[in-house]
Amino acid sequence: MTSPEQYAPAAHYDRVTEAWGLLLGAELHYGYFATGAEELPVATRALTTQMIEAAHLRSGLRVLDVGCGTGEPARRLAREFGVEVLGITTSEVGVATATEISRAEGADGVRFEVRDGTDNGLPPASFDRAWVMESSHLMPDRPALLRECGRVLVPGGRLVLCDIIRRREIPFAELRERRHEFAVLRAAFGAARMDALDQYAGYATDAGMVDVVVRDITAETLPTFDRWQANLDEHRDRVVELIGEQGAADFAESVRILRNFWLDGTLGYGLVTAVRATDADSDAPA
């Protein structure tokens, strides 16, 4: 039986990092499929591109990557746009892996530290962009995450966030009926909670941000599940070595469950952008 500690984001991530590289791809996140026919690496890169376009990056900007994974998006941002990126995560394995890969690649402009996105301890107004890519669902205190992003952004700084979202209210009776499905998802992906896009918009506004824009990209992310299943089929022996037969079985069942949640409108995927208010915004009439 999986212990409660293994459901904690850092402990869970430390346990599955190598296996996830095989199953989810190097970027460790969903893909954005413009046509549905793309290979997973093309689609995961395309999702990062969606975030980049929303971030309005330019050389010299300071970017805080909250929940940085193994650092693939951070390295791309630094390489292609000349920004300085600090990636933070609660996973020591994630930081070590990101640092090792970056050193091996000779990546400049990136560094990684163990910090909590909901209480990061960084100086106020010390970043131009806050980048939160598919990590917020693992942080139970979502309002604190958005407050911290707002706190460390300079006035006029920009937040970009993408993640799994809840697309409808789930009645308690249905939660009870589907408790096995949610338990499987927790075993495969760790403890998580999904919020609706309008909740994210509210958190951003409460954190002192303006110009909040939300976008539902559920349809464009749906083909991800077929690609994950194909990766499991291809790498099953190695995945079993890394996370065991039960871990592989939980992942396969979770792919089926998530696909169905996407199709029946329970869960999906969204992108949020917002701007840290300036003095001019504060002085504007309500």
Side-chain angles (χ1 to χ4, degrees), residues 114-278:
V114 176
R115 292 179 182 268
D116 185 343
T118 63
D119 185 15
N120 60 49
L122 295 163
S126 53
F127 291 90
D128 304 290
R129 300 289 184 270
W131 174 284
V132 188
M133 191 165 198
E134 207 171 296
S135 59
S136 67
H137 69 281
L138 296 171
M139 303 180 201
D141 194 347
R142 214 66 42 83
L145 167 65
L146 273 292
R147 285 195 301 270
E148 280 292 84
C149 288
R151 184 183 65 81
V152 301
L153 282 172
V154 299
R158 197 169 185 86
L159 163 75
V160 289
L161 179 153
C162 66
D163 215 329
I164 307 162
I165 57 170
R166 178 173 47 78
R167 301 184 77 216
R168 65 177 178 88
E169 293 293 338
I170 306 174
F172 180 71
E174 182 181 350
L175 285 173
R176 291 184 61 186
E177 291 172 1
R178 306 181 81 166
R179 61 185 179 274
H180 170 72
E181 294 174 310
F182 288 106
V184 170
L185 292 178
R186 185 175 182 180
F189 291 101
R193 191 191 83 242
M194 286 55 158
D195 284 340
L197 274 175
D198 61 354
Q199 289 178 286
Y200 276 102
Y203 301 149
T205 300
D206 291 345
M209 299 189 203
V210 297
D211 298 335
V212 181
V213 177
V214 299
R215 179 179 164 210
D216 189 314
I217 54 172
T218 299
E220 291 84 354
T221 53
L222 175 62
T224 300
F225 305 118
D226 291 336
R227 307 308 191 273
W228 286 358
Q229 182 61 55
N231 282 345
L232 177 59
D233 294 341
E234 179 179 354
H235 301 292
R236 172 172 286 277
D237 290 347
R238 180 57 179 155
V239 169
V240 169
E241 287 180 15
L242 293 168
I243 59 175
E245 287 283 0
Q246 187 60 53
D250 287 341
F251 182 83
E253 189 173 1
S254 73
V255 168
R256 177 189 63 78
I257 292 167
L258 284 169
R259 182 190 292 111
N260 289 338
F261 278 163
W262 251 242
L263 292 172
D264 71 13
T266 300
L267 298 180
Y269 206 96
L271 194 151
V272 181
T273 61
V275 176
R276 167 73 185 278
T278 65

Side-chain angles (χ1 to χ4, degrees), residues 29-51 53 133-134 162 215-224 227 269 271:
H29 59 70
Y30 281 65
Y32 181 94
F33 295 80
T35 69
E38 297 91 338
E39 295 297 322
L40 184 61
V42 174
T44 54
R45 184 176 177 84
L47 182 59
T48 304
T49 298
Q50 294 292 316
M51 289 277 284
E53 291 175 353
M133 191 165 198
E134 207 171 296
C162 66
R215 179 179 164 210
D216 189 314
I217 54 172
T218 299
E220 291 84 354
T221 53
L222 175 62
T224 300
R227 307 308 191 273
Y269 206 96
L271 194 151

Side-chain angles (χ1 to χ4, degrees), residues 1-8 12 15 183 186-188 246-247 250:
M1 179 178 292
T2 305
S3 68
E5 289 77 10
Q6 287 178 295
Y7 289 138
H12 183 82
R15 184 172 64 88
R186 185 175 182 180
Q246 187 60 53
D250 287 341

